Amino acid sequence: MPVFYERKQLVTPGDLLAENDYFAGENTHKENGKIYATRVGLVNYEEKRVYVVALKSFYVPMVGDTVIGKVEEVTLGGWIIDIKAPHLAMLRASDALERPFKPQKDDLPSLFDVGDMIIAKIVAYDRTRDPLLTVLERGLGKITRGQIIEIMPTKIPRVIGKQGSMISMLKQETGCQIAIGQNGRILINGKTPDDERLAVMAIRKIEQEAHTTGLTDRVTEMLREEKGEKEVVKSEAKENRKTD
Amino acid sequence: MRQKKIEKLIDEKEIRIDGRKLNDLRPTKIEVGVLGNADGSAYIEQGKNKILAAVYGPKEAHPKHLALPDRAALRCRYHMAPFSVDERKSPAPSRRELELSKVIREALEPSIFTEYYPRTSIDLFIEVLQADGGTRCAGLTVASVALADAGIPMRDLICACAAGKVEGHLVLDLNDYEDKGGDADMPLAYMPTANAVTLLQMDGILSGEEFEQVVKMALEGCKQINQIQKEALRAKYVVAKEIETEKEVEAGEE
């Protein structure tokens, strides 16, 4: 049961990580009883599982994921959506309209046009077909306001946190509505541009320090400090105006 | 510009025209992530060779008819810039470039898990900015690093190196003069974990025994190149880590 690296060591594709009794986890591959890394990243061992936290990887669609996509093309029966994955996704008209689709009556571009951003859910995906989306659920549809930022898809679980602890804290501290796409895109809707800026700052910090502990507390602290400073600046501005 | 005629490529002390011993690789350095627009990229300098590699994908295959139903299609373009050689080289793809594009693609494909991404394409571009012999090997080496930089899952890195015979001596990593004026040049690409050769070509004449020795030399060269590839990939992470630790220290001081 030998292992050849220490935890959190950087490995490259083809590095032999472990032999025999271990299970091949994320970004690894088992061949002839030997487990090799398939991507550049940090290796970690957990009980009987060896996996690699990749430095760089892209989103692979999974059924049930909520994603934020961009309309690339309007076709006869629906739309083609870019969800930042190796495949383009399809949104059929029947998955976007409550009533049955009538080509003579329904004008698709008036619903979603090229360039629009939408929140959708993946309903089907297998090796033989491109991912299929739907917007017929609560919270899904065209994005009309707010800002969208992109982070690495592998950091999304950290932005959500254990049982949603991080994301609920973010929503509370910034007062923004935050919708998370599993494909690495996040929609932020705040009451003021400043609130949105806070949320963006916090998410960027989480992205940088995703691998560290105690992150939720540090982000909370940072947000409170930033808000505190702004209160000071605001009251100073008020003072200055009074004395003018 | 006329080329000077070189009298001897290897002198009595077995030193080559660039000062190397018979078994020495040219000084090699690789840099990862040099292009902002590509999904993955890398740059290599090996002696006077300067080669850039860029990777896009896996992404939707355009045109659709090139897509394979059960795996990703790897497309490779090896190209020499017009200014990469002494006499301006026409930008149009030559027969040699087409051949090298093919053999490089076939050498890299076994290392990529193409079956994970059916009906997509992975586009690979190798651009030779300055050529001095052994560009297919250096191009292969840097392309493999670019693929790893793009986050495409691979079985292993592919490393490549040429060996051959010059004026009766068996040598490693031939430069342009040695390639043109020598007796044989044999590029070889190697996948270390599988202990497998993925590219083997030869230009010249070698006896059976000489061939076996030259293969051994090339494999040794490949192993050295593999270390340089791994170091280059690690170096990129170290820089990222330094920036992170600086930030953590700043945060701690506040």
Side-chain angles (χ1 to χ4, degrees):
Chain A
M1 283 168 284
V3 297
F4 301 96
Y5 286 87
E6 282 175 23
R7 282 171 164 205
K8 307 263 178 130
Q9 258 198 295
L10 185 71
V11 292
T12 55
D15 281 348
L16 177 59
L17 305 175
E19 264 174 351
N20 294 328
D21 281 3
Y22 278 81
F23 289 113
E26 232 180 23
N27 298 320
T28 66
H29 169 68
K30 193 169 191 173
E31 195 159 328
N32 296 332
K34 299 193 179 163
I35 300 183
Y36 301 96
T38 62
R39 283 190 165 110
V40 182
L42 299 177
V43 63
N44 215 338
Y45 302 94
E46 218 166 67
E47 292 175 4
K48 275 304 185 166
R49 221 169 57 94
V50 56
Y51 62 95
V52 171
V53 177
L55 263 195
K56 198 195 263 194
S57 68
F58 39 82
Y59 172 64
V60 175
M62 265 195 13
V63 175
D65 276 357
T66 304
V67 293
I68 296 178
K70 183 167 177 202
V71 178
E72 289 283 308
E73 214 180 294
V74 186
T75 68
L76 289 170
W79 301 263
I80 297 182
I81 315 276
D82 164 33
I83 55 171
K84 271 184 79 176
H87 295 105
L88 291 169
M90 308 283 192
L91 175 62
R92 298 176 298 192
S94 48
D95 291 315
L97 296 165
E98 308 259 312
R99 52 185 198 288
F101 171 50
K102 290 201 189 74
Q104 317 94 312
K105 277 204 189 157
D106 297 315
D107 176 41
L108 292 182
S110 55
L111 202 52
F112 304 127
D113 203 357
V114 175
D116 284 347
M117 305 290 292
I118 64 168
I119 309 186
K121 205 169 191 184
I122 300 181
V123 287
Y125 178 53
D126 60 64
R127 288 176 58 83
T128 63
R129 287 181 314 176
D130 287 344
L132 266 179
L133 303 175
T134 183
V135 287
L136 288 179
E137 275 183 39
R138 227 175 80 87
L140 306 179
K142 180 151 83 171
I143 295 174
T144 47
R145 57 191 194 91
Q147 21 173 323
I148 296 177
I149 69 170
E150 295 189 325
I151 69 171
M152 267 185 58
T154 45
K155 312 278 166 114
I156 290 282
R158 200 70 190 85
V159 174
I160 298 175
K162 276 204 189 94
Q163 287 152 341
S165 54
M166 181 74 88
I167 179 84
S168 16
M169 181 277 291
L170 285 175
K171 286 182 186 169
Q172 205 180 358
E173 294 292 327
T174 62
C176 294
Q177 286 178 322
I178 304 179
I180 297 191
Q182 295 290 331
N183 58 337
R185 289 185 172 138
I186 302 178
L187 171 67
I188 300 169
N189 248 316
K191 299 190 199 90
T192 69
D194 271 337
D195 290 341
E196 288 181 3
R197 193 186 57 88
L198 273 180
V200 173
M201 234 170 58
I203 293 173
R204 289 281 172 229
K205 186 180 171 74
I206 299 170
E207 187 185 16
Q208 290 281 345
E209 301 173 24
H211 53 282
T212 55
T213 53
L215 188 56
T216 317
D217 293 330
R218 287 211 303 278
V219 177
T220 320
E221 223 183 274
M222 181 198 87
L223 284 172
R224 293 204 176 138
E225 267 182 44
E226 285 290 324
K227 285 194 296 185
E229 280 175 19
K230 275 199 299 150
E231 286 306 312
V232 171
V233 172
K234 265 197 209 154
S235 44
E236 277 181 9
K238 259 197 198 156
E239 286 295 316
N240 291 336
R241 270 181 292 173
K242 277 193 198 154
T243 56
D244 280 347
Chain B
M1 201 177 93
R2 274 186 310 151
Q3 271 209 348
K4 289 189 295 199
K5 185 161 187 303
I6 305 259
E7 288 302 328
K8 265 176 81 154
L9 291 164
I10 301 181
D11 69 14
E12 328 73 49
K13 298 209 194 94
E14 292 192 343
I15 300 291
R16 296 145 82 173
I17 46 173
D18 49 9
R20 283 187 287 157
K21 296 207 275 287
L22 300 180
N23 233 321
D24 284 346
L25 264 182
R26 282 173 288 187
T28 305
K29 87 166 162 74
I30 299 178
E31 218 183 300
V32 179
V34 292
L35 298 174
N37 289 333
D39 293 326
S41 61
Y43 172 69
I44 187 172
E45 278 183 9
Q46 187 170 47
K48 292 201 215 137
N49 280 330
K50 291 183 175 16
I51 302 175
L52 206 48
V55 172
Y56 293 82
K59 57 186 171 82
E60 200 77 15
H62 286 305
K64 284 237 170 79
H65 64 83
L66 291 178
L68 297 165
D70 59 340
R71 47 185 208 277
L74 177 62
R75 286 195 293 194
C76 175
R77 180 179 113 120
Y78 165 96
H79 182 251
M80 295 178 76
F83 48 79
S84 62
V85 283
D86 265 347
E87 288 279 329
R88 172 191 173 273
K89 188 203 157 283
S90 155
S94 63
R95 295 175 80 94
R96 175 179 168 274
E97 284 165 310
L98 286 176
E99 176 195 324
L100 294 197
S101 302
K102 174 185 192 286
V103 295
I104 290 176
R105 186 183 64 73
E106 292 176 354
L108 286 169
E109 207 166 349
S111 71
I112 305 172
F113 282 105
T114 50
E115 56 273 24
Y116 286 2
Y117 309 109
R119 294 165 299 110
T120 61
S121 84
I122 298 173
D123 292 338
L124 170 61
F125 298 92
I126 300 171
E127 195 74 21
V128 178
L129 304 175
Q130 187 169 282
D132 187 36
T135 55
R136 85 190 68 184
C137 291
L140 241 167
T141 299
V142 71
S144 194
V145 175
L147 285 164
D149 183 46
I152 295 176
M154 297 165 74
R155 291 188 176 77
D156 200 352
L157 294 169
I158 305 264
C159 39
C161 190
K165 182 167 147 195
V166 174
E167 285 175 359
H169 294 99
L170 301 183
V171 298
L172 180 66
D173 196 15
L174 287 75
N175 63 29
D176 195 45
Y177 292 120
E178 293 169 334
D179 189 353
K180 295 206 162 89
D183 305 320
D185 174 40
M186 192 194 76
L188 184 153
Y190 179 63
M191 189 153 90
T193 54
N195 194 28
V197 169
T198 59
L199 178 147
L200 183 62
Q201 295 180 285
M202 192 173 84
D203 198 0
I205 297 181
L206 287 176
S207 75
E209 257 177 44
E210 285 170 335
F211 176 76
E212 297 208 11
Q213 274 186 281
V214 166
V215 168
K216 266 209 203 110
M217 283 178 91
L219 284 173
E220 276 311 307
C222 285
K223 288 178 186 150
Q224 289 179 49
I225 300 260
N226 192 227
Q227 287 310 312
I228 300 175
Q229 286 175 310
K230 288 185 187 279
E231 268 317 302
L233 285 166
R234 287 197 199 111
K236 187 179 173 213
Y237 171 70
V238 168
V239 172
K241 194 149 205 316
E242 276 172 8
I243 298 178
E244 258 175 45
T245 0
E246 269 174 33
K247 286 206 175 128
E248 276 176 32
V249 168
E250 273 176 39
E253 284 171 10
E254 273 166 26

